[in-house]
Amino acid sequence: MEISNSKYSRYYVDTEYNRNNGKVKTIYNDDLKVVSIVCDLIVHSHGEIVEKDNLIALEMKKAYRKVCEKENDKARLAALTKESYDGKTLPEYVCGYELGIYYEIDRKCSSIYIEYYTKGKILKSYMLNI
């Protein structure tokens, strides 16, 4: 994999992964309830690089999925990219991802919709025609 030959070689790429230093990854939702999280793909250090454990969280959806599912993924990415992490100890609740990516593919329209999240907000969004 390309990551092993880069400056990020100490990071792992995991699919459907929900562990944080051996514990199930959790986050606060908008109602301040603690919920477990699973992202489609994440790049992180498995807790080995405490000062910057989490790099990328990616959520992928097919266009025909329910709007509430899409909104839940987007809300998760916003929460995951919030900066409430001191860089010295692993937080109890997951946060501090450098980048969140929402990726939605529409095969009927031959398009891909992408949103980038950072610091809890959408940084950029656009549509690609394929």
Side-chain angles (χ1 to χ4, degrees):
M1 185 168 272
E2 291 299 316
I3 197 168
S4 63
N5 297 320
S6 74
K7 67 180 182 178
Y8 302 105
S9 63
R10 293 178 51 209
Y11 287 88
Y12 301 87
V13 178
D14 290 312
T15 57
E16 301 291 334
Y17 191 85
N18 72 341
R19 296 285 174 199
N20 189 25
N21 212 18
K23 298 180 192 173
V24 173
K25 285 190 175 197
T26 56
I27 198 165
Y28 280 114
N29 68 11
D30 287 341
D31 299 324
L32 296 179
K33 289 184 178 179
V34 177
V35 294
S36 63
I37 60 147
V38 176
C39 288
D40 293 325
L41 184 139
I42 59 174
V43 179
H44 60 148
S45 77
H46 288 189
E48 295 170 11
I49 303 172
V50 175
E51 59 278 1
K52 188 32 95 187
D53 183 37
N54 301 316
L55 292 182
I56 300 170
L58 172 74
E59 293 287 3
M60 298 168 53
K61 278 284 181 269
K62 294 177 182 169
Y64 64 80
R65 301 299 294 198
K66 294 179 182 177
V67 171
C68 65
E69 291 178 19
K70 296 175 188 181
E71 293 305 315
N72 286 342
D73 281 358
K74 293 175 183 185
R76 183 178 307 109
L77 291 169
L80 287 170
T81 58
K82 285 184 180 173
E83 290 182 315
S84 57
Y85 174 50
D86 66 9
K88 296 177 185 150
T89 57
L90 291 172
E92 182 176 355
Y93 302 104
V94 179
C95 60
Y97 277 83
E98 289 289 315
L99 180 65
I101 304 168
Y102 176 79
Y103 184 95
E104 182 180 312
I105 189 161
D106 188 333
R107 292 183 68 195
K108 270 184 167 177
C109 296
S110 298
S111 65
I112 299 170
Y113 175 70
I114 301 171
E115 290 179 353
Y116 293 111
Y117 290 78
T118 188
K119 298 179 182 175
K121 299 184 186 315
I122 295 176
L123 175 67
K124 181 179 181 181
S125 63
Y126 57 94
M127 182 79 71
L128 292 174
N129 293 311
I130 50 174

